[in-house]
Amino acid sequence: MIKYLVIENEYFARMKLIKLVAAVRSGYRPAFCVESVEDAVELLRTGPDIDLIFMDVELVDGNCFDILKQVRIDVPVIFTTAYSDFAIKAFQLNSVDYLLKPLTQEAVEKAIDKFERFRLPETVCSPAASPHPACKSRILISEGDNYFYIPCEDISMARSEEHYVFIHTFSGKKHITEYANLNVLEQSISPEKFFRISRGIIVSIHGIVSVRKYFKGRLKVVLTDKSEVIVSSGRRDDFLAWLGGKSDSRGAYPGSGI
């Protein structure tokens, strides 16, 4: 679960931001909300357990840069503001993105995508290195009063459906998991064997039956359950590189950590 702090002086702006984040990442939780420089400094000096900060520029008693003069922030920051004047100054700091109000779901999602890519080197495991504890070889399943596990090599795909994550096996069975979202699952399994083919689907290399060219630079992928998935033109090159077993300069396979 990703916990974030909202520094925003307008109530409705805070509520809108939290709603937009929930719409694109169900596993993200607002841990704290503050509306002033004073409150933000006081909170941040306690070392709160947070992974990300959404920070408005103009606050009730100053602007956000007054916070940064008083306390060091090592957590990634996404700035949210109605003013473009501070963009250069923001990017000189620990900034992931600079969003102009009114915020949109698309803009928030892109900023979070960027944040997750920044976290990628710390969270994925390199296939060239020795096995990392984060790369699970099996997935725990809880059904009724029973616990059991599914070996990762038996998983054909994982799907996000109605705020739940399901895994599908090559035997045709479907199991609900306790993962908060696909992002968490993705960071736990091998990026060599699994690829985030779309926002709602992670597919196993052995779960792919065929790949064909499709309209406007996209790809049509047929999976072992006979379903078809379209790979966007933006994901096409990463997917083909992964399909061919190419790794990037970090040793992590392209496509992991969307």
Side-chain angles (χ1 to χ4, degrees):
M1 177 188 300
I2 297 295
K3 290 174 281 187
Y4 63 91
L5 161 65
V6 178
I7 304 176
E8 166 65 65
N9 67 320
E10 297 178 8
Y11 172 80
F12 290 107
R14 289 198 302 271
M15 293 303 101
K16 180 179 181 180
L17 173 60
I18 291 170
K19 183 177 180 180
L20 289 174
V21 173
V24 299
R25 294 293 189 277
S26 60
Y28 280 46
R29 294 289 181 270
F32 305 93
C33 293
V34 297
E35 61 181 29
S36 68
V37 171
E38 182 180 0
D39 289 343
V41 170
E42 183 178 352
L43 173 65
L44 290 168
R45 280 176 174 165
T46 67
D49 182 17
I50 53 174
D51 305 288
L52 173 65
I53 298 174
F54 288 91
M55 183 184 293
D56 190 11
V57 172
E58 294 293 337
L59 302 172
V60 295
D61 57 347
N63 68 46
C64 66
F65 301 106
D66 296 325
I67 299 172
L68 301 169
K69 292 175 183 176
Q70 300 178 62
V71 63
R72 176 176 174 176
I73 297 179
D74 295 320
V75 177
V77 177
I78 296 175
F79 287 89
T80 62
T81 179
Y83 307 96
S84 60
D85 309 37
F86 302 99
I88 295 177
K89 189 172 183 180
F91 280 110
Q92 292 173 342
L93 303 170
N94 199 28
S95 173
V96 173
D97 212 335
Y98 190 94
L99 305 184
L100 290 177
K101 297 177 180 177
L103 301 181
T104 65
Q105 181 171 317
E106 180 181 8
V108 170
E109 183 169 23
K110 286 182 178 179
I112 291 177
D113 285 347
K114 190 182 295 185
F115 159 68
E116 291 172 350
R117 287 197 295 273
F118 282 3
R119 287 168 52 88
L120 179 61
E122 299 175 1
T123 55
V124 302
C125 36
S126 167
S130 58
H132 190 286
C135 288
K136 294 182 178 294
S137 61
R138 52 188 178 269
I139 302 298
L140 180 68
I141 302 296
S142 172
E143 291 185 355
D145 295 329
N146 301 313
Y147 287 97
F148 58 95
Y149 68 88
I150 304 291
C152 286
E153 58 263 29
D154 292 347
I155 299 174
S156 62
M157 76 180 81
R159 288 182 184 266
S160 176
E161 303 174 26
E162 299 181 351
H163 305 295
Y164 293 98
V165 174
F166 294 86
I167 59 171
H168 298 246
T169 66
F170 289 106
S171 63
K173 294 183 178 180
K174 176 181 175 181
H175 302 278
I176 188 171
T177 75
E178 296 186 349
Y179 283 93
N181 53 54
L182 282 182
N183 296 320
V184 180
L185 173 61
E186 182 182 22
Q187 292 173 5
S188 300
I189 55 182
S190 168
E192 180 181 7
K193 298 176 182 177
F194 293 92
F195 186 91
R196 184 80 168 269
I197 203 168
S198 71
R199 192 166 72 178
I201 300 176
I202 295 175
V203 65
S204 163
I205 186 68
H206 301 297
I208 297 172
V209 174
S210 65
V211 180
R212 297 177 60 86
K213 294 179 181 179
Y214 199 56
F215 299 109
K216 297 182 178 179
R218 295 176 293 173
L219 300 171
K220 179 183 286 187
V221 180
V222 178
L223 306 178
T224 51
D225 66 348
K226 307 296 178 64
S227 63
E228 297 179 349
V229 181
I230 303 301
V231 178
S232 69
S233 57
R235 300 291 297 151
R236 181 181 186 274
D237 290 345
D238 281 352
F239 174 70
L240 291 176
W242 170 79
L243 199 65
K246 291 174 63 177
S247 62
D248 66 14
S249 60
R250 293 187 306 272
Y253 278 71
S256 56
I258 286 181

